[in-house]
Amino acid sequence: MEHTTTCGNGLPGPSRRTFITGTGSIIGAVALGAAAPAARAATPIADAAVVPALVIGTGYGGSVAALRLAQAGVDVHMVEMGMAWDTPGADGKVFANTTNPDQRSFWLRTRTKQPLSNFLGFPIDRAVPRYTGVLDAEDFAGITVYQGRGVGGGSLVNGGMAVMPRRELFGEVLPTVNPDEMYGNYYPRANSELGAGLVDPDWFDTTEAYQYARVGRKHAQRSGFPHVFVPTVYDWDYMEQEAAGTVPKSALAGEILYGNNHGKKSLQKTYLAKVRATGRVTISPLHRVVSVAPASGGYAVTMEQLNTTGDVVATKQVTAAKVFFAAGSVGTSKLLVRLKATGALPNLNGEVGKGWGDNGNVMCGRANHLWDPTGRLQSSIPTLGIDNWAAGGAFAEVAPLPTGIETYASFYLSITKTPNRAQFTWNAAAGKVELSWQTAWKQVSINAAKSIFDRINAKEGTIYRTDLFGAYKIWGDHLTYHPLGGAVLGKATDNHGRLHGHPGLYVIDGSLIPGTTVVNPFVTITALAERNIERIIATDL
Ligand code: FAE
């Protein structure tokens, strides 16, 4: 078979050459591994401080906003509820391994809540000390939303797949944005800054670490599904050195969900490294914004300082002329819905909280024959996708199961076409924001995923795994990794993220995107943030 690339299959992406030339300085930093400087916790923001621009959250949207504002000469303060993740633990590592979760793994839980809750039908969750860990499994009535917590947001925990939607599908993603400016300008800028690049196909074809993906590719191919190589933000040269045994292992040691100690170019190594270099940005980790309200000089921003068991140790109020909401789809939506309902930001419009979607996420595993092993060594960074969007409305990443043992399983995270959108609302009696998602809505996504995997199973004579999400449960339909929407562009905001009703307030994260990106979302979130901040700097500052 030919080695297809995302470019060759209509999912445009940067070439490996672009990646190497574009990120030379980053590779140097990454090679230092855990010793590479993380976004350092400067002196936290002082009570009663007055700042020109305050950014809530340090994920993709927040990092883009902070960098471009600082480069334009604006002093910025970033507020992050999670930890700095710049200090190794007792084991010498900043982050815990997927196979051995500990207190660093989960945000304020006493028991892990792993996306794959079972193995061979047995529950695998375990007790952990309550701690401000890096992965939040946030429960709403109908869905658990996984999110990164800490300086770097989702980039700390995600799979690093850096995918652009096919251009002909862009109208389904951001109908009010001109695709020419995105594909001509902002997507390339985002990919370059993030350091996205493709695996060397020759290495992919020979390394033990991607046997699982080659099996996935073979099965897709034999059933006639198009497959694509997906760019990632992992340093491929570093991974090849991991395989050669010359550097400490990260992707090849099962590191992913609870952080990568080496190799992955999280925001700490890309945008936030540049943010630090400007000298104009300070970051306050373990500070959670709880209120934003109009005040003389702009907005009064109230925040709680947390300790590592989640207790509030101080409350501060600062004044900011401009406030950028970059707390992620869930974080931003929760804040805005509560602040509107409780009268702190009364002029926000009725679109706030609406248009939330799960990017059609659904997971499943297939049980392969004994002659089709997927390998004991599996790179934790997925890099192959089955693109059945045209026919069935599903883009399935061939995902790893880095257990360290042979599982004979092929595992997939599908991103599917679904019309279902939920709304965040304020429940005054309970004192919390709720989400109207219903688990049954996932059936549409299951059907779309079945359009791929039923056919592959029929062709291969295989069956679904029923032991990964419970006892006798095929579908991982209780969760999403890709929350999107809640403050939709052109509805809750104008077409560049300015919130209606309160000048000087902006949304600049995944909550702008109305529920789907048809592929993995962070490149689109980054590119949209680049587009919006450019306009805001030109006209509002
Ligand atoms: P995000 O990165 O979530 O950043 C928001 C930040 O705000 C976080 O650091 C929060 O802790 C912080 N925050 C929230 N509330 C507050 C508050 N009140 N005060 C102060 N700080 C606050 O937002 N996407 C891909 O494209 N490719 C992948 O391979 C991929 N894999 C994933 C795997 C996992 C396990 C998960 C959880 C996600 C994955 N994603 C992936 C999704 C991606 O990480 C996500 O879309 C982006 O991180 C969202 O970016 P935002 O800037 O919207």
Side-chain angles (χ1 to χ4, degrees), residues 55-63 79-82 107 115 135-136 145-163 256-257 267 284 287-290 303 326-332 334-335 338 382 397 413 480-484 508-511 517 519-526:
V55 177
I56 308 170
T58 57
Y60 292 90
S63 299
V79 180
E80 169 56 53
M81 69 192 267
W107 177 258
L135 183 66
D136 194 357
V145 184
Y146 284 87
Q147 297 151 89
R149 294 276 174 252
V151 174
S155 79
L156 298 169
V157 299
N158 68 32
M161 292 178 82
V163 202
I256 175 88
L257 273 182
L267 289 167
S284 294
H287 282 59
R288 177 172 58 202
V289 170
V290 292
M303 59 193 82
S329 162
V330 174
T332 292
K334 284 198 313 188
L335 270 174
R338 182 167 53 77
E397 66 180 63
L413 168 61
T480 185
Y481 284 178
H482 300 163
L484 293 165
I508 192 144
D509 59 17
S511 48
T517 48
V519 289
N520 313 59
F522 74 62
V523 176
T524 298
I525 294 171
T526 306

Side-chain angles (χ1 to χ4, degrees), residues 212-450:
Y212 74 95
R214 294 196 298 273
V215 169
R217 177 177 67 183
K218 180 177 71 182
H219 292 170
Q221 225 179 1
R222 288 208 289 229
S223 287
F225 289 111
H227 61 273
V228 291
F229 277 123
V230 173
T232 84
V233 296
Y234 204 87
D235 180 343
W236 288 110
D237 293 332
Y238 190 87
M239 201 190 298
E240 290 188 28
Q241 291 170 48
E242 289 180 47
T246 54
V247 294
K249 289 186 171 54
S250 180
L252 300 198
E255 292 179 353
I256 175 88
L257 273 182
Y258 313 130
N260 279 84
N261 287 300
H262 316 276
K264 190 168 81 179
K265 289 170 282 176
S266 69
L267 289 167
Q268 291 184 340
K269 292 169 181 163
T270 57
Y271 274 96
L272 288 171
K274 286 194 168 181
V275 158
R276 269 198 316 277
T278 67
R280 285 193 173 275
V281 184
T282 54
I283 304 178
S284 294
L286 288 173
H287 282 59
R288 177 172 58 202
V289 170
V290 292
S291 182
V292 178
S296 99
Y299 291 89
V301 180
T302 310
M303 59 193 82
E304 297 172 339
Q305 186 171 359
L306 308 175
N307 64 16
T308 53
T309 46
D311 308 310
V312 177
V313 293
T315 301
K316 301 175 181 177
Q317 193 175 83
V318 306
T319 305
K322 312 262 184 222
V323 178
F324 291 82
F325 287 84
S329 162
V330 174
T332 292
S333 303
K334 284 198 313 188
L335 270 174
L336 293 177
V337 163
R338 182 167 53 77
L339 296 176
K340 174 176 166 55
T342 56
L345 293 174
N347 302 336
L348 296 176
N349 73 16
E351 293 291 336
V352 162
K354 291 186 180 165
W356 187 87
D358 67 339
N359 209 21
N361 279 189
V362 66
M363 293 178 179
C364 68
R366 293 178 40 253
N368 291 317
H369 295 295
L370 291 182
W371 60 82
D372 239 354
T374 45
R376 286 195 315 178
L377 175 67
Q378 302 200 0
S379 168
S380 62
I381 300 295
T383 192
L384 198 90
I386 302 172
D387 183 6
N388 194 38
W389 202 267
F395 178 86
E397 66 180 63
V398 180
L401 271 179
T403 55
I405 57 170
E406 176 58 58
T407 63
Y408 297 98
S410 285
F411 181 54
Y412 307 91
L413 168 61
S414 298
I415 295 163
T416 63
K417 187 170 188 156
T418 166
N420 295 310
R421 297 291 180 268
Q423 184 178 355
F424 292 95
T425 50
W426 173 241
N427 180 335
K432 64 175 189 180
V433 175
E434 293 174 343
L435 180 64
S436 66
W437 185 265
Q438 296 173 33
T439 310
W441 288 354
K442 287 276 194 185
Q443 191 59 45
V444 187
S445 299
I446 291 173
N447 293 346
K450 277 166 71 73

Side-chain angles (χ1 to χ4, degrees), residues 123-172:
I124 54 173
D125 281 313
R126 59 162 87 167
V128 283
R130 183 181 156 89
Y131 191 72
T132 47
V134 74
L135 183 66
D136 194 357
E138 189 170 0
D139 290 321
F140 292 95
I143 194 163
T144 299
V145 184
Y146 284 87
Q147 297 151 89
R149 294 276 174 252
V151 174
S155 79
L156 298 169
V157 299
N158 68 32
M161 292 178 82
V163 202
M164 288 189 281
R166 276 193 277 154
R167 190 180 169 130
E168 61 269 29
L169 298 173
F170 186 75
E172 296 182 28

Side-chain angles (χ1 to χ4, degrees), residues 5-57:
T5 69
T6 50
C7 304
N9 279 276
L11 278 167
S15 66
R16 183 170 160 82
R17 175 182 290 269
T18 315
F19 155 62
I20 289 169
T21 54
T23 60
S25 59
I26 293 164
I27 291 169
V30 171
L32 294 173
R40 269 195 208 294
T43 314
I45 196 164
D47 189 26
V50 178
V51 295
L54 186 135
V55 177
I56 308 170

